[in-house]
């Protein structure tokens, strides 16, 4: 076990060494809290659990050394499999043969005494917990995993699952951290990773990553993946590849609005509404918007979580010259990089302010170091090149919080997104305004239409009050497909209580009474149509 600990302690990369030692401290804390009998390790043969196996081994070596130095007696856990921590593996018929071979070979090589579980995961886990003293399970979960967005290092199991503590020591590790550690420790890993696989599921939903395909048709090894965001590109599950019949692949966005002034109600947040509207008009699905205070750690934590869970993230705020503008430091921490003057940004700042350039001005020229930071040029209304380029860090676009500046820079974000991939079909909407106040009168109709439309149409019901047209409920239907939207709308109108439909509006997001009277009727723009009596 001391082999990995020695590799960590002698690592010349100070950032990686610090990350590994911090992770060992998490495992050690779990051992303090639950003891070896109360702690188990879920090993699945993947790269993340392989890292975790050797982190546990290094932690046990640390504790053995500390015990022997303090007590002067041999450590009792030396003769136990993995120091007494139970290791278990869930076997499935759809496992890759290479994964099965690697897990069993690894168990034998390191004396893990691995328990083999079969069948339903939840049921098997319940039996394991009932038959042992295990209270906590060490897992190789990272932020990039689909179920990890809201998890913490110590995180109770989800409702409906047997009660245990999830321990996620490598939660904040990046894809490149994983491979840097495996190469540092010089430990074996599953052979599939040398054949172009970057994320392993079952034989039915996993293929080599196309980003690693070479000219001769073969694949480069996983550690050579140029863009960590493509880690799961070889996983083909329903959740991760939702393809619209009219708009192409589903694209998700997360928003991070930064500023104490928002949370203290000193100013109104108009940026969230603007960004949601703009993104949806170009076919992006905004899945989450977070407002956070001017705090480096808080911003860093949200950036990591949003970046891992969404295709793109847009931040707004915290880019000025004053002490409360800490977004760039948080971005650097999120990327595990240093914050330093960016040569091009510094040159632009000095050229713009000339002899009047101050330290405060140069603060706006700071950016994270590293290859994941890019400048995106954009032009002002008059056509001149902006002196302040847009900054993109990994998949995060960093925008100012002042609405006028954000809206100007948004155009550059929009153009950049369209240059990387063809625009998806925009979302189309239909609003039905009803002379009703009781939502229970439309609940069954909504459920029936939703079942018929499937995932193509999203429906919602919104109570309103004090409306010019006396509406009490507004029903919303949304889809990328005009045909699917129209069909669902007609079906829903036919199920509404007679005489309750006041008006129908197309491609409008205004839930409250529109400024245009419904009596105008539907024009060429298709924006408004009176209800049939």
């Amino acid at each position: 076990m001391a082999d990995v600990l020695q590799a960590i302690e002698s690592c010349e990369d100070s950032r990686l060494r610090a990350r590994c030692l911090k992770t060992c401290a998490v495992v050690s804390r779990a051992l303090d809290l639950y003891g070896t009998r109360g702690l188990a390790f879920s090993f699945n043969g993947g790269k993340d659990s392989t890292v975790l196996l050797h982190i546990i081994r290094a932690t046990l070596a640390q504790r053995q050394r500390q015990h022997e130095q303090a007590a002067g007696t041999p450590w009792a856990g030396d003769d136990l499999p993995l120091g007494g921590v139970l290791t278990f593996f869930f076997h499935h018929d759809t496992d890759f043969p290479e994964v099965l071979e690697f897990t069993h070979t690894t168990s034998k090589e390191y004396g893990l005494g691995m328990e083999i579980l079969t069948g339903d995961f939840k049921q098997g886990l319940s039996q394991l917990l009932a038959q042992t003293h295990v209270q906590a399970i060490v897992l190789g979960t990272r932020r990039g995993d689909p179920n990890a967005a809201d998890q913490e290092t110590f995180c109770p199991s989800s409702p409906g699952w047997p009660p245990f503590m999830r321990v996620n020591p490598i939660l904040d590790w990046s894809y490149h951290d994983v491979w840097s550690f495996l190469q540092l420790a010089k430990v074996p890993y599953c052979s599939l990773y040398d054949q172009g696989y970057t994320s392993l599921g079952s034989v039915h939903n996993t293929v080599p990553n196309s980003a690693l395909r070479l000219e001769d048709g073969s694949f480069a090894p996983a550690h050579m993946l140029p863009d960590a965001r493509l880690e799961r590109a070889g996983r083909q599950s329903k959740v991760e590849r939702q393809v619209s019949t009219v708009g192409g692949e589903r694209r998700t966005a997360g928003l991070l609005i930064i500023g104490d002034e928002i949370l203290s109600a000193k100013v109104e947040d108009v940026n969230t509404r603007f960004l949601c509207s703009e993104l949806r008009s170009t076919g992006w699905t905004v899945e989450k918007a977070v407002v956070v205070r001017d705090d480096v750690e808080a911003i860093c934590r949200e950036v990591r979580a949003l970046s891992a869970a969404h295709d793109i993230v847009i931040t707004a705020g915290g880019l000025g010259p004053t002490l409360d503008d800490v977004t760039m430091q948080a971005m650097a921490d999120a990327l595990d990089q240093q914050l330093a003057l960016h040569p091009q940004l510094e040159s632009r700042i000095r050229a713009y302010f000339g002899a009047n350039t101050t330290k405060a001005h140069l603060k706006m020229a700071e950016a994270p170091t590293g290859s994941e930071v890019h400048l995106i040029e954009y032009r002002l209304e008059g056509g001149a090149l902006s002196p302040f380029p847009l900054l993109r860090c990994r998949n995060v676009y960093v925008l100012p919080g002042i609405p006028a500046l954000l809206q100007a820079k948004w155009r550059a974000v929009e153009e950049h997104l369209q240059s990387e991939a063809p625009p998806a079909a925009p979302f189309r909407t239909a609003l039905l305004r009803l002379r009703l106040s009781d939502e229970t009168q439309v609940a069954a109709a909504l459920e029936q239409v939703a079942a018929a439309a499937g995932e193509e149409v999203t429906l919602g019901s919104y109570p309103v009050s004090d409306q010019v047209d006396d509406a009490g409920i507004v029903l919303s239907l949304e889809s990328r497909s005009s045909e699917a939207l129209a069909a669902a709308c007609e079906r829903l109108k036919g199920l509404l209580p007679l005489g309750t439909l006041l008006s129908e509006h197309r491609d409008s997001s205004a839930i409250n009474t529109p400024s245009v009277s419904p009596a105008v009727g539907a024009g060429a723009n298709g924006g408004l149509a009176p209800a049939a009596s």
Side-chain angles (χ1 to χ4, degrees):
M1 292 187 293
D3 55 336
V4 178
L5 179 60
Q6 291 171 358
I8 291 173
E9 292 178 336
S10 61
C11 177
E12 295 181 358
D13 183 340
S14 60
R15 189 195 64 81
L16 180 62
R17 181 174 66 251
R19 169 141 291 187
C20 292
L21 292 174
K22 182 178 179 181
T23 306
C24 287
V26 171
V27 176
S28 188
R29 180 57 177 159
L31 287 166
D32 290 338
L33 290 171
Y34 302 102
T36 53
R37 295 183 71 197
L39 196 65
F41 166 47
S42 175
F43 184 56
N44 63 14
K47 62 185 184 302
D48 298 329
S49 64
T50 301
V51 166
L52 199 47
L53 164 64
H54 295 289
I55 286 290
I56 295 173
R57 294 180 62 241
T59 304
L60 293 171
Q62 267 186 335
R63 293 170 70 89
Q64 177 179 359
R65 184 174 63 189
Q66 292 166 358
H67 171 83
E68 293 176 349
Q69 289 175 347
T73 58
W75 187 53
D78 207 22
D79 297 329
L80 299 173
L82 203 60
V85 175
L86 172 68
T87 302
F88 66 91
F89 170 76
F90 261 95
H91 171 81
H92 298 283
D93 293 337
T94 56
D95 288 331
F96 280 93
E98 293 88 345
V99 171
L100 295 174
E101 179 184 358
F102 173 69
T103 52
H104 290 290
T105 301
T106 301
S107 179
K108 182 178 180 180
E109 180 175 354
Y110 297 104
L112 302 182
M114 188 169 65
E115 294 280 342
I116 308 298
L117 306 179
T118 59
D120 178 74
F121 186 85
K122 184 186 292 187
Q123 182 179 357
L125 196 57
S126 298
Q127 293 174 354
L128 176 72
L129 295 171
Q131 296 169 3
T132 66
H133 296 280
V134 170
Q135 297 175 282
I137 300 176
V138 184
L139 302 163
T141 302
R142 290 191 294 114
R143 292 284 184 203
D145 298 339
N147 65 335
D150 296 322
Q151 290 201 41
E152 301 295 339
T153 305
F154 287 85
C155 183
S157 56
S158 301
W161 283 76
F164 67 94
M165 181 63 72
R166 292 177 287 191
V167 184
N168 302 314
I170 62 170
L171 188 64
D172 291 322
W173 282 44
S174 69
Y175 178 85
H176 295 301
D177 287 336
V178 168
W179 285 108
S180 294
F181 173 81
L182 292 174
Q183 291 170 335
L184 168 72
K186 295 182 174 61
V187 293
Y189 51 82
C190 181
S191 61
L192 290 174
Y193 291 115
D194 286 333
Q195 301 171 33
Y197 290 83
T198 53
S199 179
L200 300 180
S202 75
V203 294
H204 298 313
N205 68 8
T206 310
V207 296
N209 195 319
S210 59
L212 291 171
R213 186 186 296 275
L214 302 175
E215 291 184 1
D216 62 1
S218 62
F219 292 84
H223 70 85
M224 296 183 66
L225 186 68
D227 187 344
R229 291 176 296 169
L230 302 176
E231 176 184 357
R232 299 181 66 84
R235 297 286 288 273
Q236 300 174 323
S237 70
K238 179 180 178 181
V239 172
E240 288 148 16
R241 288 187 179 272
Q242 299 182 39
V243 179
S244 165
T245 56
V246 294
E249 192 169 310
R250 184 171 183 261
R251 303 169 184 178
T252 64
L255 305 182
L256 182 58
I257 310 300
I258 300 161
D260 292 345
E261 69 277 13
I262 301 292
L263 293 171
S264 62
K266 292 184 177 69
V267 301
E268 182 181 359
D269 172 25
V270 298
N271 290 329
T272 298
R273 179 179 175 83
F274 172 81
L275 291 171
C276 286
S277 176
E278 292 294 319
L279 284 161
R280 293 186 72 75
S281 70
T282 53
W284 286 82
T285 300
V286 180
E287 291 194 328
K288 192 171 187 178
V290 179
V291 182
V292 67
R293 59 194 177 93
D294 294 307
D295 178 80
V296 172
E297 184 176 346
I299 299 169
C300 172
R301 181 171 59 250
E302 296 296 347
V303 165
R304 284 177 170 170
L306 290 169
S307 176
H310 301 89
D311 295 320
I312 63 167
V313 178
I314 298 174
T315 72
L319 299 184
T322 57
L323 57 85
D324 58 332
D325 293 313
V326 296
T327 296
M328 279 305 176
Q329 181 61 64
M331 289 300 308
D333 291 353
L335 295 175
D336 295 312
Q337 298 290 340
Q338 298 296 317
L339 184 68
L341 285 174
H342 190 289
Q344 289 177 263
L345 288 178
E346 181 184 5
S347 176
R348 297 286 189 88
I349 291 288
R350 291 188 181 279
Y352 187 80
F353 293 103
N356 296 321
T357 303
T358 65
K359 183 179 179 181
H361 291 131
L362 292 177
K363 185 175 187 290
M364 295 187 291
E366 293 178 335
T369 57
S371 59
E372 294 180 298
V373 178
H374 306 277
L375 297 185
I376 300 174
E377 302 286 1
Y378 75 100
R379 296 189 178 277
L380 303 175
E381 286 188 6
L385 199 64
S386 170
F388 307 110
L390 173 70
L391 196 71
R392 185 185 66 157
C393 302
R394 194 176 291 164
N395 64 333
V396 182
Y397 293 86
V398 187
L399 300 182
I402 299 173
L405 297 179
L406 178 141
Q407 291 173 24
K409 287 202 170 186
W410 161 253
R411 302 307 167 196
V413 177
E414 186 177 38
E415 291 177 6
H416 190 259
L417 293 175
Q418 292 177 357
S419 70
E420 290 195 331
F427 288 94
R428 311 299 299 271
T429 62
L431 298 180
L432 305 182
R433 300 180 62 81
L434 308 183
R435 187 186 289 108
L436 284 175
S437 58
D438 183 2
E439 285 188 288
T440 63
Q441 293 183 265
V442 296
L446 288 172
E447 290 179 3
Q448 185 174 334
V449 174
E455 295 183 355
E456 271 202 295
V457 181
T458 301
L459 294 94
S461 174
Y462 305 94
V464 293
S465 60
D466 301 322
Q467 302 295 291
V468 172
D469 60 357
D470 293 326
I473 295 173
V474 178
L475 302 182
S476 170
L477 300 88
E478 190 171 64
S479 176
R480 283 195 175 99
S481 166
S482 298
E483 293 77 11
L485 180 65
C489 195
E490 290 305 310
R491 180 186 291 268
L492 181 57
K493 287 191 292 184
L495 295 172
L496 293 175
L498 188 65
T500 59
L501 179 60
L502 290 168
S503 60
E504 176 183 345
H505 307 261
R506 290 298 178 94
D507 294 330
S508 170
S509 59
I511 297 298
N512 287 314
T513 303
S515 58
V516 180
S517 168
V520 172
N525 60 8
L528 188 62
S533 58

